[in-house]
Amino acid sequence: MRVLVLGDSLSFHGPATAHPADEPRLWPHVAATGLAGTADLHAGLGWTARHAWGAVRTDPRVWASVMHADAFVLGVGGMDSLPSPLPTALRELIGVLRPAGLRARVRAAYQAGHATAASRAARWTAGWPTALPAHETVRCLERCRVAVTTLRPHAPVVLLLPPVHRSSFYGGVHPRRSGHVAALRAWAGERGVVTVDSAPLVVEHVLTGRGNPDGIHWGWDAHRAVGEAVARAVAEAVDVPSGGGPARPMEQSGVPNGTGSASCPQAPVVSSEDAPPRP
């Protein structure tokens, strides 16, 4: 079995540092091993569901993985629920500021004030803004789901729900997590997506300091627990269609664009964001 995983940094960070995508102790590979298969991991630091959708839409390595996927695991969406005093798009513009000295000063000021701003936002605005609003997370995850299952209609889809953290960078607060979880569960129920709740699996591990010292990433025990839970979820769902439009021939080739068939709710919505790049 080939498992396609779209993940954030939790999918490739261990107890001390980041690791290459083929490190066997990472949860995607623990899951694949439990299914007697292999995992194709595509992930990035700080990835939200929007970043995952961007990869599905534009990265030819993801296109290649899609065409061999027997199961699809969405390990993104947790970052989306974290406090983000600056909207994600603005925060990411820090990296393109010029000259270099200005960029360094802005980044240092942002990092120095982030925890305080996140804590104040938790008190004054109930944690708004987050890295991505829940409705936008759902929109991007749905496009990822449609893009993959249009080409691999028999591949079950599994979603990892947002975990917990005790990161000082985020002020130790996470007030919008429950709202994101509720929105993700509702979407998953409508679309036949299987959910794995990572929080009960890692909460003691993370909150007692047995994970990464940064308070957000996991040690190997948590990776093993999450990977085993994902493997069970895939095994239980492997014969159950994940929903979406009518089945397409398995030999069909193409570029995933997240619009699906005419019966898909997003079929009429085609914009420059949706269109795959032209050769």
Side-chain angles (χ1 to χ4, degrees):
M1 172 176 282
R2 291 276 290 273
V3 182
L4 168 59
V5 179
L6 296 180
D8 54 24
S9 59
L10 290 173
S11 66
F12 62 88
H13 266 256
T17 187
H19 292 267
D22 61 353
E23 164 59 55
R25 292 172 293 180
L26 297 171
W27 72 257
H29 300 296
V30 173
T33 298
L35 296 163
T38 58
D40 295 329
L41 172 61
H42 301 272
L45 183 66
W47 266 22
T48 64
R50 182 182 288 163
H51 292 97
W53 165 233
V56 172
R57 184 171 56 89
T58 65
D59 191 336
R61 295 169 297 181
V62 177
W63 305 345
S65 295
V66 167
M67 298 313 299
H68 301 283
D70 299 306
F72 180 34
V73 179
L74 287 160
V76 290
M79 175 72 187
D80 308 32
S81 66
L82 290 171
S84 181
L86 278 182
T88 303
L90 290 179
R91 186 181 71 242
E92 291 181 341
L93 287 176
I94 295 175
V96 301
L97 288 176
R98 297 292 184 273
L102 173 63
R103 181 173 66 250
R105 289 194 296 273
V106 171
R107 179 176 286 117
Y110 178 74
Q111 292 176 343
H114 190 280
T116 299
S119 298
R120 288 177 177 173
R123 293 197 304 270
W124 298 343
T125 64
W128 184 89
T130 56
L132 210 63
H135 65 85
E136 181 67 6
T137 298
V138 167
R139 185 185 76 90
C140 292
L141 292 179
E142 171 65 1
R143 292 191 170 191
C144 291
R145 184 195 69 81
V146 171
V148 172
T149 58
T150 295
L151 299 176
R152 303 296 286 177
H154 302 298
V157 182
V158 173
L159 170 67
L160 201 62
L161 293 172
V164 296
H165 77 88
R166 64 180 192 96
S167 172
S168 59
F169 182 71
Y170 294 100
V173 297
H174 202 172
R176 296 255 168 171
R177 179 186 174 274
S178 59
H180 277 252
V181 169
L184 293 174
R185 285 191 187 279
W187 166 74
E190 292 171 358
R191 299 300 181 194
V193 173
V194 179
T195 59
V196 173
D197 193 353
S198 63
L201 301 172
V202 304
V203 59
E204 183 180 0
H205 176 88
V206 171
L207 298 186
T208 59
R210 291 191 287 122
N212 190 297
D214 65 11
I216 194 164
H217 296 106
W218 304 334
W220 299 126
D221 289 346
H223 275 278
R224 183 169 59 255
V226 171
E228 290 172 352
V230 169
R232 289 193 296 270
V234 172
E236 292 171 2
V238 73
D239 294 324
V240 180
S242 59
R248 302 293 184 88
M250 294 299 285
E251 67 272 13
Q252 174 184 352
S253 62
V255 174
N257 64 13
T259 57
S261 66
S263 64
C264 172
Q266 292 184 339
V269 184
V270 181
S271 67
S272 59
E273 183 187 65
D274 304 309
R278 305 294 183 188

